[in-house]
Short mmCIF file of all heavy atoms in Angstrom, two decimals:
data_model
loop_
_atom_site.label_atom_id
_atom_site.label_comp_id
_atom_site.label_asym_id
_atom_site.label_seq_id
_atom_site.Cartn_x
_atom_site.Cartn_y
_atom_site.Cartn_z
N LYS A 857 -17.09 -12.60 -0.29
CA LYS A 857 -18.42 -12.87 0.29
C LYS A 857 -18.72 -14.36 0.36
O LYS A 857 -19.70 -14.76 1.00
CB LYS A 857 -19.49 -12.15 -0.52
CG LYS A 857 -19.40 -10.63 -0.45
CD LYS A 857 -20.44 -9.96 -1.33
CE LYS A 857 -20.32 -8.45 -1.28
NZ LYS A 857 -21.29 -7.77 -2.20
N PHE A 858 -17.90 -15.20 -0.29
CA PHE A 858 -18.07 -16.65 -0.20
C PHE A 858 -17.39 -17.23 1.04
O PHE A 858 -17.31 -18.44 1.19
CB PHE A 858 -17.51 -17.33 -1.45
CG PHE A 858 -18.35 -17.15 -2.69
CD1 PHE A 858 -18.04 -16.19 -3.62
CD2 PHE A 858 -19.47 -17.95 -2.91
CE1 PHE A 858 -18.80 -16.02 -4.77
CE2 PHE A 858 -20.24 -17.80 -4.04
CZ PHE A 858 -19.91 -16.83 -4.98
N HIS A 859 -16.90 -16.36 1.92
CA HIS A 859 -16.13 -16.81 3.08
C HIS A 859 -16.92 -17.80 3.95
O HIS A 859 -16.41 -18.88 4.30
CB HIS A 859 -15.70 -15.61 3.92
CG HIS A 859 -14.97 -15.98 5.17
ND1 HIS A 859 -13.63 -16.34 5.18
CD2 HIS A 859 -15.39 -16.07 6.47
CE1 HIS A 859 -13.26 -16.61 6.42
NE2 HIS A 859 -14.31 -16.46 7.22
N ASP A 860 -18.14 -17.46 4.28
CA ASP A 860 -18.93 -18.32 5.17
C ASP A 860 -19.21 -19.67 4.51
O ASP A 860 -19.21 -20.70 5.19
CB ASP A 860 -20.23 -17.63 5.55
CG ASP A 860 -20.02 -16.46 6.49
OD1 ASP A 860 -18.94 -16.39 7.12
OD2 ASP A 860 -20.93 -15.61 6.59
N LYS A 861 -19.46 -19.66 3.22
CA LYS A 861 -19.71 -20.91 2.51
C LYS A 861 -18.48 -21.80 2.54
O LYS A 861 -18.57 -23.01 2.80
CB LYS A 861 -20.13 -20.64 1.07
CG LYS A 861 -20.45 -21.89 0.26
CD LYS A 861 -21.01 -21.53 -1.10
CE LYS A 861 -21.39 -22.79 -1.87
NZ LYS A 861 -22.03 -22.47 -3.18
N ALA A 862 -17.31 -21.22 2.27
CA ALA A 862 -16.07 -22.00 2.30
C ALA A 862 -15.79 -22.51 3.70
O ALA A 862 -15.40 -23.67 3.89
CB ALA A 862 -14.91 -21.14 1.81
N LYS A 863 -16.02 -21.67 4.69
CA LYS A 863 -15.77 -22.07 6.08
C LYS A 863 -16.69 -23.20 6.51
O LYS A 863 -16.25 -24.16 7.17
CB LYS A 863 -15.94 -20.86 7.00
CG LYS A 863 -15.51 -21.11 8.43
CD LYS A 863 -15.58 -19.82 9.25
CE LYS A 863 -15.10 -20.05 10.68
NZ LYS A 863 -15.15 -18.79 11.47
N SER A 864 -17.96 -23.14 6.11
CA SER A 864 -18.89 -24.20 6.48
C SER A 864 -18.56 -25.51 5.78
O SER A 864 -18.87 -26.59 6.30
CB SER A 864 -20.32 -23.77 6.14
OG SER A 864 -20.50 -23.66 4.74
N ASN A 865 -17.90 -25.41 4.62
CA ASN A 865 -17.45 -26.61 3.90
C ASN A 865 -16.08 -27.09 4.37
O ASN A 865 -15.57 -28.08 3.84
CB ASN A 865 -17.38 -26.34 2.40
CG ASN A 865 -18.74 -26.20 1.75
OD1 ASN A 865 -19.76 -26.40 2.40
ND2 ASN A 865 -18.76 -25.82 0.48
N ALA A 866 -15.48 -26.37 5.32
CA ALA A 866 -14.13 -26.67 5.80
C ALA A 866 -13.11 -26.63 4.66
O ALA A 866 -12.20 -27.45 4.58
CB ALA A 866 -14.08 -28.02 6.51
N LYS A 867 -13.27 -25.63 3.77
CA LYS A 867 -12.38 -25.47 2.64
C LYS A 867 -11.68 -24.12 2.71
O LYS A 867 -12.18 -23.17 3.32
CB LYS A 867 -13.13 -25.60 1.31
CG LYS A 867 -13.76 -26.97 1.11
CD LYS A 867 -12.70 -28.07 1.13
CE LYS A 867 -13.32 -29.45 1.13
NZ LYS A 867 -12.31 -30.53 1.27
N THR A 868 -10.53 -24.05 2.05
CA THR A 868 -9.73 -22.83 2.03
C THR A 868 -9.64 -22.30 0.60
O THR A 868 -9.36 -23.06 -0.33
CB THR A 868 -8.30 -23.09 2.54
OG1 THR A 868 -8.37 -23.57 3.89
CG2 THR A 868 -7.46 -21.84 2.48
N ALA A 869 -9.88 -21.02 0.45
CA ALA A 869 -9.71 -20.35 -0.84
C ALA A 869 -8.77 -19.17 -0.65
O ALA A 869 -8.99 -18.33 0.22
CB ALA A 869 -11.06 -19.87 -1.39
N ILE A 870 -7.71 -19.13 -1.45
CA ILE A 870 -6.74 -18.05 -1.41
C ILE A 870 -6.82 -17.28 -2.71
O ILE A 870 -6.60 -17.84 -3.79
CB ILE A 870 -5.30 -18.57 -1.21
CG1 ILE A 870 -5.21 -19.45 0.05
CG2 ILE A 870 -4.32 -17.41 -1.13
CD1 ILE A 870 -5.46 -18.72 1.34
N LEU A 871 -7.12 -15.99 -2.63
CA LEU A 871 -7.28 -15.14 -3.80
C LEU A 871 -6.02 -14.31 -4.03
O LEU A 871 -5.50 -13.70 -3.10
CB LEU A 871 -8.47 -14.20 -3.62
CG LEU A 871 -9.79 -14.80 -3.12
CD1 LEU A 871 -10.83 -13.70 -2.96
CD2 LEU A 871 -10.28 -15.88 -4.08
N GLY A 872 -5.53 -14.27 -5.25
CA GLY A 872 -4.41 -13.39 -5.57
C GLY A 872 -3.07 -13.90 -5.11
O GLY A 872 -2.29 -13.16 -4.52
N MET A 873 -2.75 -15.17 -5.43
CA MET A 873 -1.48 -15.75 -4.99
C MET A 873 -0.48 -15.73 -6.15
O MET A 873 0.03 -16.76 -6.59
CB MET A 873 -1.74 -17.18 -4.51
CG MET A 873 -0.62 -17.83 -3.71
SD MET A 873 -0.32 -17.09 -2.09
CE MET A 873 1.07 -16.02 -2.41
N GLY A 874 -0.23 -14.52 -6.69
CA GLY A 874 0.70 -14.38 -7.80
C GLY A 874 1.86 -13.47 -7.44
O GLY A 874 2.51 -13.64 -6.41
N ALA A 875 2.12 -12.48 -8.30
CA ALA A 875 3.19 -11.51 -8.03
C ALA A 875 2.60 -10.31 -7.30
O ALA A 875 2.86 -10.07 -6.13
CB ALA A 875 3.85 -11.10 -9.34
N SER A 876 1.78 -9.53 -8.02
CA SER A 876 0.99 -8.48 -7.39
C SER A 876 -0.43 -8.61 -7.91
O SER A 876 -0.69 -8.34 -9.09
CB SER A 876 1.51 -7.09 -7.74
OG SER A 876 0.65 -6.08 -7.25
N PRO A 877 -1.32 -9.10 -7.06
CA PRO A 877 -1.11 -9.48 -5.65
C PRO A 877 -0.43 -10.83 -5.50
O PRO A 877 -0.41 -11.62 -6.43
CB PRO A 877 -2.55 -9.54 -5.11
CG PRO A 877 -3.35 -9.97 -6.29
CD PRO A 877 -2.73 -9.27 -7.48
N GLY A 878 0.10 -11.07 -4.33
CA GLY A 878 0.76 -12.33 -3.99
C GLY A 878 2.06 -12.04 -3.27
O GLY A 878 2.10 -11.95 -2.04
N LEU A 879 3.12 -11.83 -4.04
CA LEU A 879 4.40 -11.48 -3.42
C LEU A 879 4.28 -10.18 -2.63
O LEU A 879 4.83 -10.05 -1.52
CB LEU A 879 5.48 -11.33 -4.49
CG LEU A 879 5.87 -12.59 -5.28
CD1 LEU A 879 6.92 -12.24 -6.33
CD2 LEU A 879 6.37 -13.70 -4.36
N THR A 880 3.54 -9.22 -3.19
CA THR A 880 3.36 -7.94 -2.49
C THR A 880 2.62 -8.14 -1.17
O THR A 880 2.93 -7.48 -0.17
CB THR A 880 2.58 -6.96 -3.37
OG1 THR A 880 1.43 -7.62 -3.91
CG2 THR A 880 3.43 -6.43 -4.50
N ASN A 881 1.64 -9.03 -1.16
CA ASN A 881 0.88 -9.29 0.07
C ASN A 881 1.77 -9.89 1.15
O ASN A 881 1.67 -9.54 2.34
CB ASN A 881 -0.27 -10.24 -0.21
CG ASN A 881 -1.25 -9.70 -1.23
OD1 ASN A 881 -0.88 -9.55 -2.39
ND2 ASN A 881 -2.47 -9.43 -0.82
N MET A 882 2.66 -10.79 0.76
CA MET A 882 3.54 -11.42 1.73
C MET A 882 4.59 -10.44 2.24
O MET A 882 4.95 -10.45 3.42
CB MET A 882 4.21 -12.65 1.10
CG MET A 882 3.25 -13.80 0.84
SD MET A 882 2.64 -14.59 2.37
CE MET A 882 1.17 -13.63 2.74
N LEU A 883 5.05 -9.55 1.36
CA LEU A 883 5.96 -8.50 1.82
C LEU A 883 5.24 -7.57 2.80
O LEU A 883 5.80 -7.15 3.82
CB LEU A 883 6.48 -7.70 0.63
CG LEU A 883 7.49 -8.39 -0.29
CD1 LEU A 883 7.76 -7.53 -1.52
CD2 LEU A 883 8.78 -8.70 0.44
N GLY A 884 3.99 -7.24 2.49
CA GLY A 884 3.21 -6.39 3.39
C GLY A 884 2.97 -7.05 4.73
O GLY A 884 3.07 -6.40 5.78
N ALA A 885 2.65 -8.34 4.72
CA ALA A 885 2.42 -9.06 5.97
C ALA A 885 3.70 -9.10 6.81
O ALA A 885 3.65 -8.98 8.04
CB ALA A 885 1.94 -10.48 5.68
N ALA A 886 4.84 -9.26 6.15
CA ALA A 886 6.11 -9.27 6.87
C ALA A 886 6.40 -7.92 7.50
O ALA A 886 6.89 -7.83 8.64
CB ALA A 886 7.25 -9.66 5.92
N ALA A 887 6.10 -6.84 6.77
CA ALA A 887 6.31 -5.50 7.32
C ALA A 887 5.39 -5.25 8.52
O ALA A 887 5.81 -4.70 9.54
CB ALA A 887 6.06 -4.45 6.24
N ILE A 888 4.14 -5.67 8.40
CA ILE A 888 3.18 -5.50 9.49
C ILE A 888 3.62 -6.25 10.73
O ILE A 888 3.44 -5.77 11.87
CB ILE A 888 1.77 -5.95 9.03
CG1 ILE A 888 1.21 -4.95 8.03
CG2 ILE A 888 0.83 -6.11 10.22
CD1 ILE A 888 -0.07 -5.39 7.36
N ASP A 889 4.21 -7.43 10.54
CA ASP A 889 4.67 -8.22 11.68
C ASP A 889 5.71 -7.50 12.52
O ASP A 889 5.89 -7.80 13.70
CB ASP A 889 5.28 -9.54 11.19
CG ASP A 889 4.23 -10.62 10.96
OD1 ASP A 889 3.05 -10.37 11.29
OD2 ASP A 889 4.59 -11.69 10.44
#
Side-chain angles (χ1 to χ4, degrees):
K857 294 177 182 177
F858 287 98
H859 177 79
D860 290 342
K861 182 173 183 176
K863 189 174 182 179
S864 67
N865 289 354
K867 297 301 172 185
T868 300
I870 305 295
L871 312 178
M873 194 68 261
S876 173
L879 295 178
T880 48
N881 301 66
M882 291 291 89
L883 288 173
I888 289 171
D889 276 354

